[in-house]
Amino acid sequence: MDREIRINEIDGFAIGHDQDIQGATGLTVIICPEGASAGVDVRGGAPGTRETDLLNPTNLVDRVHAVMLAGGSAFGLDGASGIMRYLEEKGIGFDVGVTKVPIVCGAVLFDLTVGDWRARPDGEMGYRACLNASNRSCPRGNVGAGTGATVGKILGMERAVKGGLGTCAVQTGDVKIGAIVAVNCLGDVIDPSDGTVVAACRTDSGPGNTEDILSHSLGDKKNLFACNTTIGAILTNAELTKAQATKVASMAQNGFARTMRPAHTLFDGDTIFTMGTGEVQSDISSLGAIAARVMERAVIDGVRSARDLCGVPSATGEHL
């Protein structure tokens, strides 16, 4: 039986955030000082990523020291430089003799059309997020990579709803597994437990249906690139090879598909990392199934934890 826990109860990880509320962007870092076996699954058609190739099981490096989730589109990848600097100062990284090179993977989402487009995560924000990293708590909503996140954008930003950063974690026996995600999808967000529309594009008559709108305009070419991509990570104390971590990340994408409609479009860069500390044995198929479930709960949590920001209303209607 799953027992719900807080994501910061998964030993070996520290999670930190930094954000610019006025600029409506931010960065989240997940640090594993001892290194974590990792994998990644990139499912969307417009990804912005860093160091994902090294997670291929055929490549040398088998452990990562941090995963970055950030806003700012491709500009936000600069935040990893500050994370690298912090980890090197702490003596954390892949030993190359003359120094230790931190292995930092990451992904970014598009939030430039919310707040001030000139505000982007940079090296200083990445460094501050590391200073804020803790295993004691993990705030949600308008924090870190979720600061400028929005959902339901098929009718334009003026019809969007606020997204945010969400988490969920469970323990089954000795195995702990959790999800952290910045929800920034083109589509609508649905609670699969009861079919409730959590957030959707806003029409004059109420919540819209993105899938219906897309199907009714099948013959029209669209450019919906701006403002999308949902990025997240699965954290676990289970022992994983890179190939197994990649499989868990792939199965966790089912959590996106169950909650975001549609998911994985050409205009979303949906990306999920998996990080495992290797403390306990587990069945990979079972772990992947639970990963999908905690990811879907984290997506719902991210939207329900968000608050109104920069004129974009939240699902709850609450302000910061």
Side-chain angles (χ1 to χ4, degrees):
M1 179 70 69
D2 293 349
R3 178 176 70 87
E4 190 160 344
I5 61 175
R6 296 184 301 275
I7 196 165
N8 50 287
E9 293 181 58
I10 304 175
D11 296 333
F13 298 102
I15 301 173
H17 312 283
D18 194 58
Q19 54 277 324
D20 178 345
I21 294 296
Q22 284 69 41
T25 194
L27 181 150
T28 295
V29 63
I30 305 146
I31 299 174
C32 185
E34 300 303 317
S37 181
V40 66
D41 186 275
V42 182
R43 198 68 62 91
T49 57
R50 181 187 194 276
E51 295 280 41
T52 52
D53 281 351
L54 63 79
L55 299 182
N56 187 313
T58 63
N59 291 335
L60 172 65
V61 174
D62 61 355
R63 302 185 77 76
V64 305
H65 304 100
V67 165
M68 177 191 75
L69 309 174
S73 188
F75 297 110
L77 292 171
D78 185 41
S81 64
I83 300 170
M84 294 271 296
R85 176 161 56 94
Y86 174 88
L87 294 176
E88 185 183 26
E89 290 174 358
K90 298 296 182 182
I92 296 170
F94 183 77
D95 193 345
V96 295
V98 293
T99 188
K100 290 185 178 179
V101 179
I103 305 302
V104 180
C105 300
V108 293
L109 56 82
F110 194 108
D111 58 5
L112 299 180
T113 53
V114 182
D116 185 348
W117 62 270
R118 293 163 297 187
R120 298 104 181 240
D122 58 13
E124 291 307 310
M125 182 176 282
Y127 193 89
R128 289 194 300 269
C130 292
L131 292 175
N132 295 334
S134 167
N135 60 3
R136 296 184 296 276
S137 65
C138 181
R140 296 126 53 226
N142 296 13
V143 297
T147 302
T150 50
V151 304
K153 290 162 278 193
I154 188 68
L155 299 177
M157 282 301 300
E158 66 274 13
R159 299 282 187 167
V161 178
K162 188 71 181 68
L165 189 95
T167 66
C168 177
V170 297
Q171 180 171 354
T172 300
D174 293 328
V175 178
K176 298 177 181 179
I177 181 169
I180 182 168
V181 62
V183 189
N184 189 60
C185 56
L186 170 72
D188 310 320
V189 177
I190 312 297
D191 187 340
S193 67
D194 57 11
T196 300
V197 177
V198 179
C201 58
R202 294 177 291 124
T203 72
D204 293 339
S205 57
N209 186 310
T210 295
E211 289 185 327
D212 284 351
I213 294 169
L214 282 173
S215 64
H216 290 156
S217 59
L218 183 61
D220 301 329
K221 292 189 70 174
K222 307 169 188 68
N223 182 5
L224 305 172
F225 174 74
C227 310
N228 306 314
T229 295
T230 296
I231 51 179
I234 296 294
L235 314 183
T236 180
N237 64 346
E239 181 178 342
L240 300 169
T241 64
K242 286 204 291 186
Q244 290 170 335
T246 298
K247 183 59 179 177
V248 171
S250 174
M251 293 181 71
Q253 290 275 8
N254 291 332
F256 282 7
R258 293 171 190 165
T259 54
M260 300 184 298
R261 301 183 187 176
H264 310 140
T265 74
L266 191 63
F267 315 107
D268 290 285
D270 300 338
T271 300
I272 296 177
F273 296 91
T274 294
M275 304 173 73
T277 57
E279 295 178 1
V280 297
Q281 298 288 320
S282 69
D283 175 76
I284 300 305
S285 294
S286 300
L287 195 71
I290 297 172
R293 191 162 63 215
V294 293
M295 183 57 77
E296 71 179 47
R297 295 179 189 171
V299 169
I300 301 303
D301 179 61
V303 176
R304 287 181 170 158
S305 298
R307 299 294 180 262
D308 302 2
L309 185 68
C310 297
V312 182
S314 63
T316 62
E318 296 180 16
H319 298 275
L320 282 176

mmCIF file of all heavy atoms in Angstrom, residues 24-74:
data_model
loop_
_atom_site.group_PDB
_atom_site.id
_atom_site.type_symbol
_atom_site.label_atom_id
_atom_site.label_comp_id
_atom_site.label_asym_id
_atom_site.label_seq_id
_atom_site.Cartn_x
_atom_site.Cartn_y
_atom_site.Cartn_z
ATOM 1 N N ALA A 24 8.350 37.194 -13.742
ATOM 2 C CA ALA A 24 7.576 35.958 -13.963
ATOM 3 C C ALA A 24 8.420 34.869 -14.620
ATOM 4 O O ALA A 24 8.066 34.319 -15.669
ATOM 5 C CB ALA A 24 6.319 36.240 -14.765
ATOM 6 N N THR A 25 9.537 34.556 -13.977
ATOM 7 C CA THR A 25 10.347 33.435 -14.423
ATOM 8 C C THR A 25 11.125 32.909 -13.224
ATOM 9 O O THR A 25 11.206 33.564 -12.182
ATOM 10 C CB THR A 25 11.304 33.843 -15.556
ATOM 11 O OG1 THR A 25 11.835 32.667 -16.178
ATOM 12 C CG2 THR A 25 12.448 34.714 -15.044
ATOM 13 N N GLY A 26 11.691 31.733 -13.351
ATOM 14 C CA GLY A 26 12.418 31.165 -12.226
ATOM 15 C C GLY A 26 13.132 29.883 -12.590
ATOM 16 O O GLY A 26 13.082 29.412 -13.732
ATOM 17 N N LEU A 27 13.786 29.309 -11.586
ATOM 18 C CA LEU A 27 14.623 28.131 -11.787
ATOM 19 C C LEU A 27 14.524 27.217 -10.575
ATOM 20 O O LEU A 27 14.501 27.686 -9.441
ATOM 21 C CB LEU A 27 16.069 28.580 -12.007
ATOM 22 C CG LEU A 27 17.144 27.539 -12.269
ATOM 23 C CD1 LEU A 27 18.250 28.140 -13.148
ATOM 24 C CD2 LEU A 27 17.758 26.986 -10.983
ATOM 25 N N THR A 28 14.483 25.928 -10.837
ATOM 26 C CA THR A 28 14.469 24.901 -9.797
ATOM 27 C C THR A 28 15.652 23.966 -10.016
ATOM 28 O O THR A 28 15.922 23.570 -11.158
ATOM 29 C CB THR A 28 13.158 24.096 -9.847
ATOM 30 O OG1 THR A 28 12.067 24.958 -9.532
ATOM 31 C CG2 THR A 28 13.179 22.935 -8.869
ATOM 32 N N VAL A 29 16.360 23.624 -8.952
ATOM 33 C CA VAL A 29 17.474 22.693 -9.068
ATOM 34 C C VAL A 29 17.263 21.528 -8.101
ATOM 35 O O VAL A 29 16.797 21.712 -6.974
ATOM 36 C CB VAL A 29 18.829 23.388 -8.790
ATOM 37 C CG1 VAL A 29 18.908 23.923 -7.361
ATOM 38 C CG2 VAL A 29 19.989 22.446 -9.075
ATOM 39 N N ILE A 30 17.578 20.341 -8.576
ATOM 40 C CA ILE A 30 17.539 19.127 -7.764
ATOM 41 C C ILE A 30 18.980 18.633 -7.668
ATOM 42 O O ILE A 30 19.561 18.221 -8.676
ATOM 43 C CB ILE A 30 16.650 18.050 -8.394
ATOM 44 C CG1 ILE A 30 15.244 18.600 -8.664
ATOM 45 C CG2 ILE A 30 16.588 16.821 -7.503
ATOM 46 C CD1 ILE A 30 14.602 18.026 -9.899
ATOM 47 N N ILE A 31 19.551 18.709 -6.487
ATOM 48 C CA ILE A 31 20.952 18.349 -6.289
ATOM 49 C C ILE A 31 21.047 16.982 -5.618
ATOM 50 O O ILE A 31 20.343 16.697 -4.649
ATOM 51 C CB ILE A 31 21.663 19.403 -5.415
ATOM 52 C CG1 ILE A 31 21.641 20.779 -6.101
ATOM 53 C CG2 ILE A 31 23.100 18.987 -5.122
ATOM 54 C CD1 ILE A 31 22.192 21.895 -5.229
ATOM 55 N N CYS A 32 21.938 16.165 -6.145
ATOM 56 C CA CYS A 32 22.267 14.884 -5.505
ATOM 57 C C CYS A 32 23.781 14.858 -5.321
ATOM 58 O O CYS A 32 24.524 14.491 -6.251
ATOM 59 C CB CYS A 32 21.808 13.713 -6.373
ATOM 60 S SG CYS A 32 22.055 12.106 -5.577
ATOM 61 N N PRO A 33 24.279 15.289 -4.164
ATOM 62 C CA PRO A 33 25.728 15.448 -3.969
ATOM 63 C C PRO A 33 26.531 14.184 -4.225
ATOM 64 O O PRO A 33 27.668 14.258 -4.717
ATOM 65 C CB PRO A 33 25.836 15.882 -2.503
ATOM 66 C CG PRO A 33 24.508 16.497 -2.192
ATOM 67 C CD PRO A 33 23.518 15.703 -2.980
ATOM 68 N N GLU A 34 25.964 13.019 -3.909
ATOM 69 C CA GLU A 34 26.680 11.760 -4.108
ATOM 70 C C GLU A 34 26.546 11.235 -5.527
ATOM 71 O O GLU A 34 27.161 10.227 -5.887
ATOM 72 C CB GLU A 34 26.164 10.701 -3.121
ATOM 73 C CG GLU A 34 26.326 11.085 -1.662
ATOM 74 C CD GLU A 34 27.777 11.379 -1.313
ATOM 75 O OE1 GLU A 34 28.652 10.622 -1.766
ATOM 76 O OE2 GLU A 34 28.019 12.371 -0.594
ATOM 77 N N GLY A 35 25.740 11.896 -6.320
ATOM 78 C CA GLY A 35 25.509 11.460 -7.692
ATOM 79 C C GLY A 35 24.338 10.499 -7.777
ATOM 80 O O GLY A 35 24.108 9.686 -6.873
ATOM 81 N N ALA A 36 23.579 10.608 -8.848
ATOM 82 C CA ALA A 36 22.424 9.746 -9.054
ATOM 83 C C ALA A 36 22.485 9.146 -10.450
ATOM 84 O O ALA A 36 22.861 9.820 -11.416
ATOM 85 C CB ALA A 36 21.126 10.545 -8.905
ATOM 86 N N SER A 37 22.137 7.874 -10.536
ATOM 87 C CA SER A 37 21.943 7.283 -11.848
ATOM 88 C C SER A 37 20.746 7.975 -12.483
ATOM 89 O O SER A 37 19.751 8.258 -11.802
ATOM 90 C CB SER A 37 21.696 5.784 -11.713
ATOM 91 O OG SER A 37 21.519 5.195 -12.984
ATOM 92 N N ALA A 38 20.832 8.279 -13.767
ATOM 93 C CA ALA A 38 19.790 9.110 -14.355
ATOM 94 C C ALA A 38 19.447 8.682 -15.773
ATOM 95 O O ALA A 38 20.255 8.082 -16.486
ATOM 96 C CB ALA A 38 20.219 10.575 -14.347
ATOM 97 N N GLY A 39 18.218 9.016 -16.155
ATOM 98 C CA GLY A 39 17.748 8.812 -17.517
ATOM 99 C C GLY A 39 16.824 9.943 -17.876
ATOM 100 O O GLY A 39 16.439 10.748 -17.023
ATOM 101 N N VAL A 40 16.432 10.023 -19.135
ATOM 102 C CA VAL A 40 15.564 11.100 -19.590
ATOM 103 C C VAL A 40 14.677 10.605 -20.721
ATOM 104 O O VAL A 40 15.067 9.719 -21.494
ATOM 105 C CB VAL A 40 16.401 12.319 -20.059
ATOM 106 C CG1 VAL A 40 17.211 11.985 -21.308
ATOM 107 C CG2 VAL A 40 15.519 13.542 -20.301
ATOM 108 N N ASP A 41 13.487 11.166 -20.789
ATOM 109 C CA ASP A 41 12.592 10.905 -21.908
ATOM 110 C C ASP A 41 12.067 12.245 -22.410
ATOM 111 O O ASP A 41 11.439 12.993 -21.657
ATOM 112 C CB ASP A 41 11.420 10.013 -21.487
ATOM 113 C CG ASP A 41 10.566 9.604 -22.678
ATOM 114 O OD1 ASP A 41 9.665 10.381 -23.063
ATOM 115 O OD2 ASP A 41 10.806 8.517 -23.228
ATOM 116 N N VAL A 42 12.375 12.565 -23.657
ATOM 117 C CA VAL A 42 11.921 13.806 -24.293
ATOM 118 C C VAL A 42 10.821 13.447 -25.269
ATOM 119 O O VAL A 42 11.070 12.793 -26.279
ATOM 120 C CB VAL A 42 13.084 14.518 -25.023
ATOM 121 C CG1 VAL A 42 12.605 15.823 -25.637
ATOM 122 C CG2 VAL A 42 14.247 14.770 -24.069
ATOM 123 N N ARG A 43 9.613 13.855 -24.980
ATOM 124 C CA ARG A 43 8.460 13.415 -25.761
ATOM 125 C C ARG A 43 7.858 14.525 -26.622
ATOM 126 O O ARG A 43 7.215 14.251 -27.625
ATOM 127 C CB ARG A 43 7.406 12.837 -24.808
ATOM 128 C CG ARG A 43 6.348 11.959 -25.440
ATOM 129 C CD ARG A 43 6.948 10.664 -25.951
ATOM 130 N NE ARG A 43 7.541 9.860 -24.896
ATOM 131 C CZ ARG A 43 6.890 8.919 -24.200
ATOM 132 N NH1 ARG A 43 5.594 8.713 -24.424
ATOM 133 N NH2 ARG A 43 7.521 8.199 -23.296
ATOM 134 N N GLY A 44 8.038 15.771 -26.221
ATOM 135 C CA GLY A 44 7.449 16.864 -26.977
ATOM 136 C C GLY A 44 8.274 17.228 -28.200
ATOM 137 O O GLY A 44 9.435 16.829 -28.336
ATOM 138 N N GLY A 45 7.695 18.030 -29.098
ATOM 139 C CA GLY A 45 8.339 18.359 -30.362
ATOM 140 C C GLY A 45 9.178 19.611 -30.335
ATOM 141 O O GLY A 45 9.805 19.947 -31.344
ATOM 142 N N ALA A 46 9.201 20.349 -29.220
ATOM 143 C CA ALA A 46 9.959 21.604 -29.164
ATOM 144 C C ALA A 46 10.743 21.696 -27.857
ATOM 145 O O ALA A 46 10.517 22.587 -27.046
ATOM 146 C CB ALA A 46 9.010 22.793 -29.296
ATOM 147 N N PRO A 47 11.696 20.761 -27.644
ATOM 148 C CA PRO A 47 12.417 20.750 -26.365
ATOM 149 C C PRO A 47 13.557 21.747 -26.324
ATOM 150 O O PRO A 47 14.133 22.121 -27.346
ATOM 151 C CB PRO A 47 12.949 19.315 -26.300
ATOM 152 C CG PRO A 47 13.184 18.952 -27.742
ATOM 153 C CD PRO A 47 12.068 19.625 -28.507
ATOM 154 N N GLY A 48 13.878 22.166 -25.095
ATOM 155 C CA GLY A 48 15.095 22.927 -24.831
ATOM 156 C C GLY A 48 15.810 22.213 -23.709
ATOM 157 O O GLY A 48 15.344 22.226 -22.563
ATOM 158 N N THR A 49 16.932 21.559 -24.001
ATOM 159 C CA THR A 49 17.559 20.677 -23.023
ATOM 160 C C THR A 49 19.071 20.880 -22.972
ATOM 161 O O THR A 49 19.680 21.442 -23.873
ATOM 162 C CB THR A 49 17.273 19.200 -23.344
ATOM 163 O OG1 THR A 49 17.728 18.911 -24.678
ATOM 164 C CG2 THR A 49 15.792 18.894 -23.239
ATOM 165 N N ARG A 50 19.654 20.351 -21.896
ATOM 166 C CA ARG A 50 21.109 20.429 -21.678
ATOM 167 C C ARG A 50 21.624 19.086 -21.192
ATOM 168 O O ARG A 50 21.068 18.494 -20.270
ATOM 169 C CB ARG A 50 21.407 21.508 -20.625
ATOM 170 C CG ARG A 50 22.893 21.695 -20.328
ATOM 171 C CD ARG A 50 23.088 22.655 -19.166
ATOM 172 N NE ARG A 50 24.458 23.116 -19.050
ATOM 173 C CZ ARG A 50 25.425 22.456 -18.417
ATOM 174 N NH1 ARG A 50 25.150 21.298 -17.832
ATOM 175 N NH2 ARG A 50 26.648 22.961 -18.360
ATOM 176 N N GLU A 51 22.682 18.586 -21.824
ATOM 177 C CA GLU A 51 23.395 17.373 -21.403
ATOM 178 C C GLU A 51 22.496 16.137 -21.340
ATOM 179 O O GLU A 51 22.684 15.274 -20.480
ATOM 180 C CB GLU A 51 24.072 17.589 -20.041
ATOM 181 C CG GLU A 51 25.189 18.632 -20.047
ATOM 182 C CD GLU A 51 26.502 18.097 -20.587
ATOM 183 O OE1 GLU A 51 26.473 17.353 -21.571
ATOM 184 O OE2 GLU A 51 27.552 18.418 -20.008
ATOM 185 N N THR A 52 21.533 16.047 -22.243
ATOM 186 C CA THR A 52 20.699 14.848 -22.269
ATOM 187 C C THR A 52 21.386 13.695 -23.003
ATOM 188 O O THR A 52 21.134 12.526 -22.705
ATOM 189 C CB THR A 52 19.331 15.131 -22.904
ATOM 190 O OG1 THR A 52 19.522 15.756 -24.175
ATOM 191 C CG2 THR A 52 18.503 16.046 -22.014
ATOM 192 N N ASP A 53 22.276 14.009 -23.952
ATOM 193 C CA ASP A 53 22.942 12.941 -24.698
ATOM 194 C C ASP A 53 23.780 12.046 -23.801
ATOM 195 O O ASP A 53 23.902 10.838 -24.040
ATOM 196 C CB ASP A 53 23.842 13.532 -25.792
ATOM 197 C CG ASP A 53 23.063 13.975 -27.018
ATOM 198 O OD1 ASP A 53 21.848 13.670 -27.080
ATOM 199 O OD2 ASP A 53 23.647 14.624 -27.897
ATOM 200 N N LEU A 54 24.369 12.611 -22.747
ATOM 201 C CA LEU A 54 25.227 11.787 -21.898
ATOM 202 C C LEU A 54 24.426 10.756 -21.105
ATOM 203 O O LEU A 54 24.994 9.822 -20.550
ATOM 204 C CB LEU A 54 26.075 12.654 -20.963
ATOM 205 C CG LEU A 54 25.409 13.541 -19.905
ATOM 206 C CD1 LEU A 54 24.982 12.753 -18.691
ATOM 207 C CD2 LEU A 54 26.362 14.645 -19.486
ATOM 208 N N LEU A 55 23.093 10.929 -21.057
ATOM 209 C CA LEU A 55 22.259 9.955 -20.356
ATOM 210 C C LEU A 55 21.953 8.728 -21.203
ATOM 211 O O LEU A 55 21.352 7.769 -20.718
ATOM 212 C CB LEU A 55 20.947 10.616 -19.905
ATOM 213 C CG LEU A 55 21.106 11.790 -18.939
ATOM 214 C CD1 LEU A 55 19.752 12.326 -18.524
ATOM 215 C CD2 LEU A 55 21.920 11.390 -17.720
ATOM 216 N N ASN A 56 22.368 8.761 -22.460
ATOM 217 C CA ASN A 56 22.245 7.575 -23.303
ATOM 218 C C ASN A 56 23.044 6.440 -22.672
ATOM 219 O O ASN A 56 24.223 6.618 -22.310
ATOM 220 C CB ASN A 56 22.788 7.896 -24.703
ATOM 221 C CG ASN A 56 22.550 6.762 -25.687
ATOM 222 O OD1 ASN A 56 22.798 5.588 -25.400
ATOM 223 N ND2 ASN A 56 22.075 7.122 -26.864
ATOM 224 N N PRO A 57 22.453 5.254 -22.503
ATOM 225 C CA PRO A 57 23.163 4.157 -21.821
ATOM 226 C C PRO A 57 24.480 3.763 -22.475
ATOM 227 O O PRO A 57 25.329 3.136 -21.826
ATOM 228 C CB PRO A 57 22.150 3.009 -21.887
ATOM 229 C CG PRO A 57 20.824 3.689 -21.944
ATOM 230 C CD PRO A 57 21.044 4.921 -22.771
ATOM 231 N N THR A 58 24.694 4.133 -23.738
ATOM 232 C CA THR A 58 25.948 3.772 -24.402
ATOM 233 C C THR A 58 27.081 4.731 -24.088
ATOM 234 O O THR A 58 28.232 4.472 -24.464
ATOM 235 C CB THR A 58 25.757 3.741 -25.934
ATOM 236 O OG1 THR A 58 25.418 5.052 -26.408
ATOM 237 C CG2 THR A 58 24.663 2.756 -26.324
ATOM 238 N N ASN A 59 26.790 5.840 -23.406
ATOM 239 C CA ASN A 59 27.814 6.844 -23.130
ATOM 240 C C ASN A 59 28.428 6.654 -21.747
ATOM 241 O O ASN A 59 27.865 6.002 -20.879
ATOM 242 C CB ASN A 59 27.241 8.241 -23.306
ATOM 243 C CG ASN A 59 26.937 8.544 -24.764
ATOM 244 O OD1 ASN A 59 27.538 7.958 -25.664
ATOM 245 N ND2 ASN A 59 25.997 9.449 -25.011
ATOM 246 N N LEU A 60 29.590 7.285 -21.534
ATOM 247 C CA LEU A 60 30.448 6.967 -20.387
ATOM 248 C C LEU A 60 29.872 7.351 -19.032
ATOM 249 O O LEU A 60 29.746 6.519 -18.133
ATOM 250 C CB LEU A 60 31.807 7.660 -20.569
ATOM 251 C CG LEU A 60 32.767 7.590 -19.370
ATOM 252 C CD1 LEU A 60 33.180 6.147 -19.103
ATOM 253 C CD2 LEU A 60 33.984 8.474 -19.607
ATOM 254 N N VAL A 61 29.574 8.631 -18.845
ATOM 255 C CA VAL A 61 29.198 9.124 -17.514
ATOM 256 C C VAL A 61 27.908 8.445 -17.051
ATOM 257 O O VAL A 61 26.904 8.441 -17.772
ATOM 258 C CB VAL A 61 29.028 10.650 -17.528
ATOM 259 C CG1 VAL A 61 28.502 11.145 -16.192
ATOM 260 C CG2 VAL A 61 30.363 11.317 -17.850
ATOM 261 N N ASP A 62 27.943 7.874 -15.852
ATOM 262 C CA ASP A 62 26.776 7.113 -15.395
ATOM 263 C C ASP A 62 26.069 7.742 -14.200
ATOM 264 O O ASP A 62 25.111 7.168 -13.685
ATOM 265 C CB ASP A 62 27.160 5.670 -15.060
ATOM 266 C CG ASP A 62 28.188 5.580 -13.944
ATOM 267 O OD1 ASP A 62 28.674 6.644 -13.491
ATOM 268 O OD2 ASP A 62 28.497 4.453 -13.531
ATOM 269 N N ARG A 63 26.533 8.921 -13.751
ATOM 270 C CA ARG A 63 25.871 9.576 -12.627
ATOM 271 C C ARG A 63 25.817 11.074 -12.870
ATOM 272 O O ARG A 63 26.749 11.668 -13.421
ATOM 273 C CB ARG A 63 26.597 9.280 -11.309
ATOM 274 C CG ARG A 63 26.696 7.799 -10.995
ATOM 275 C CD ARG A 63 27.294 7.538 -9.636
ATOM 276 N NE ARG A 63 26.347 7.775 -8.559
ATOM 277 C CZ ARG A 63 25.354 6.956 -8.246
ATOM 278 N NH1 ARG A 63 25.136 5.867 -8.951
ATOM 279 N NH2 ARG A 63 24.558 7.229 -7.235
ATOM 280 N N VAL A 64 24.710 11.685 -12.457
ATOM 281 C CA VAL A 64 24.575 13.135 -12.554
ATOM 282 C C VAL A 64 24.530 13.709 -11.139
ATOM 283 O O VAL A 64 24.177 13.015 -10.183
ATOM 284 C CB VAL A 64 23.318 13.553 -13.343
ATOM 285 C CG1 VAL A 64 23.301 12.906 -14.715
ATOM 286 C CG2 VAL A 64 22.040 13.229 -12.586
ATOM 287 N N HIS A 65 24.859 14.985 -11.005
ATOM 288 C CA HIS A 65 24.909 15.624 -9.692
ATOM 289 C C HIS A 65 23.798 16.652 -9.499
ATOM 290 O O HIS A 65 23.546 17.078 -8.372
ATOM 291 C CB HIS A 65 26.278 16.271 -9.492
ATOM 292 C CG HIS A 65 27.391 15.281 -9.653
ATOM 293 N ND1 HIS A 65 28.125 15.164 -10.814
ATOM 294 C CD2 HIS A 65 27.851 14.327 -8.805
ATOM 295 C CE1 HIS A 65 28.992 14.180 -10.676
ATOM 296 N NE2 HIS A 65 28.868 13.663 -9.474
ATOM 297 N N ALA A 66 23.155 17.039 -10.590
ATOM 298 C CA ALA A 66 22.025 17.966 -10.480
ATOM 299 C C ALA A 66 21.200 17.928 -11.752
ATOM 300 O O ALA A 66 21.716 17.668 -12.845
ATOM 301 C CB ALA A 66 22.505 19.391 -10.209
ATOM 302 N N VAL A 67 19.923 18.216 -11.592
ATOM 303 C CA VAL A 67 19.022 18.441 -12.716
ATOM 304 C C VAL A 67 18.398 19.818 -12.534
ATOM 305 O O VAL A 67 17.939 20.158 -11.437
ATOM 306 C CB VAL A 67 17.929 17.363 -12.797
ATOM 307 C CG1 VAL A 67 16.793 17.799 -13.727
ATOM 308 C CG2 VAL A 67 18.517 16.040 -13.288
ATOM 309 N N MET A 68 18.422 20.599 -13.587
ATOM 310 C CA MET A 68 17.847 21.942 -13.559
ATOM 311 C C MET A 68 16.558 21.976 -14.360
ATOM 312 O O MET A 68 16.494 21.449 -15.474
ATOM 313 C CB MET A 68 18.843 22.947 -14.173
ATOM 314 C CG MET A 68 18.302 24.371 -14.245
ATOM 315 S SD MET A 68 19.355 25.477 -15.255
ATOM 316 C CE MET A 68 18.932 24.923 -16.932
ATOM 317 N N LEU A 69 15.534 22.597 -13.792
ATOM 318 C CA LEU A 69 14.292 22.914 -14.490
ATOM 319 C C LEU A 69 14.168 24.427 -14.460
ATOM 320 O O LEU A 69 14.262 25.032 -13.391
ATOM 321 C CB LEU A 69 13.091 22.267 -13.795
ATOM 322 C CG LEU A 69 13.187 20.768 -13.488
ATOM 323 C CD1 LEU A 69 11.968 20.324 -12.677
ATOM 324 C CD2 LEU A 69 13.305 19.951 -14.772
ATOM 325 N N ALA A 70 13.953 25.060 -15.623
ATOM 326 C CA ALA A 70 13.997 26.524 -15.643
ATOM 327 C C ALA A 70 13.041 27.096 -16.672
ATOM 328 O O ALA A 70 12.661 26.432 -17.648
ATOM 329 C CB ALA A 70 15.410 27.023 -15.934
ATOM 330 N N GLY A 71 12.662 28.349 -16.447
ATOM 331 C CA GLY A 71 11.941 29.115 -17.435
ATOM 332 C C GLY A 71 12.923 29.787 -18.371
ATOM 333 O O GLY A 71 14.101 29.455 -18.410
ATOM 334 N N GLY A 72 12.422 30.778 -19.138
ATOM 335 C CA GLY A 72 13.315 31.569 -19.970
ATOM 336 C C GLY A 72 13.578 31.048 -21.352
ATOM 337 O O GLY A 72 14.433 31.580 -22.060
ATOM 338 N N SER A 73 12.896 29.955 -21.762
ATOM 339 C CA SER A 73 13.168 29.326 -23.050
ATOM 340 C C SER A 73 14.659 28.984 -23.123
ATOM 341 O O SER A 73 15.287 28.726 -22.096
ATOM 342 C CB SER A 73 12.717 30.244 -24.188
ATOM 343 O OG SER A 73 12.794 29.583 -25.443
ATOM 344 N N ALA A 74 15.243 28.991 -24.305
ATOM 345 C CA ALA A 74 16.646 28.591 -24.449
ATOM 346 C C ALA A 74 17.591 29.487 -23.659
ATOM 347 O O ALA A 74 18.669 29.048 -23.241
ATOM 348 C CB ALA A 74 17.039 28.582 -25.924
#
